[in-house]
Amino acid sequence: QEQLVESGGGLVQAGGSLRLSCAASGITFKFKSVAWYRQAPGKQREMVAGISGGGLRTYADSVKGRFTISREDVKNTVYLQMNSLKSEDTAVYYCNVPQTGGDWYTVRYYWGQGTQVTVSS
């Protein structure tokens, strides 16, 4: 069974930090790019951070300098460290694997449940 499970979200004050985890079963992250996405109420899903199989990182302008994506392939897990959180970061956060040769928004697997991040101001 192919499954993506996000965890680590919660309620935090503006300026605080959270670390999200993306664990996979029936899927290997090795040699694949993995990305974090978020969806706020009434808005479309957007990519916020990606990491290639070789460890190269890409960030949306809105989070660059505040978020860090990393991977631990032996644990088949990808992380998102979020610092200096703002109220506009409030969203449900998801992870997925972009299709080879596509852009960040065409993904290979069904979306998981996501993890809720709420930032109070």
Side-chain angles (χ1 to χ4, degrees), residues 15 62 103 110:
S62 59
D103 61 25
Y110 290 111

Side-chain angles (χ1 to χ4, degrees), residues 49-103:
I51 186 166
S52 74
L56 298 178
R57 296 165 169 86
T58 300
Y59 299 97
D61 288 342
S62 59
V63 308
K64 193 168 186 176
R66 300 188 297 120
F67 291 9
T68 303
I69 188 170
S70 62
R71 64 192 300 148
E72 194 169 0
D73 283 345
V74 69
K75 298 178 70 174
N76 210 36
T77 302
V78 173
Y79 306 96
L80 185 68
Q81 178 67 47
M82 305 187 295
N83 298 325
S84 301
L85 283 162
K86 306 173 180 179
S87 60
E88 50 262 49
D89 296 318
T90 295
V92 179
Y93 284 72
Y94 305 86
C95 60
N96 217 308
V97 177
Q99 286 194 192
T100 304
D103 61 25

Side-chain angles (χ1 to χ4, degrees), residues 39-58:
Q39 188 166 29
K43 293 185 170 60
Q44 292 189 328
R45 202 190 313 267
E46 63 176 348
M47 191 276 282
V48 297
I51 186 166
S52 74
L56 298 178
R57 296 165 169 86
T58 300

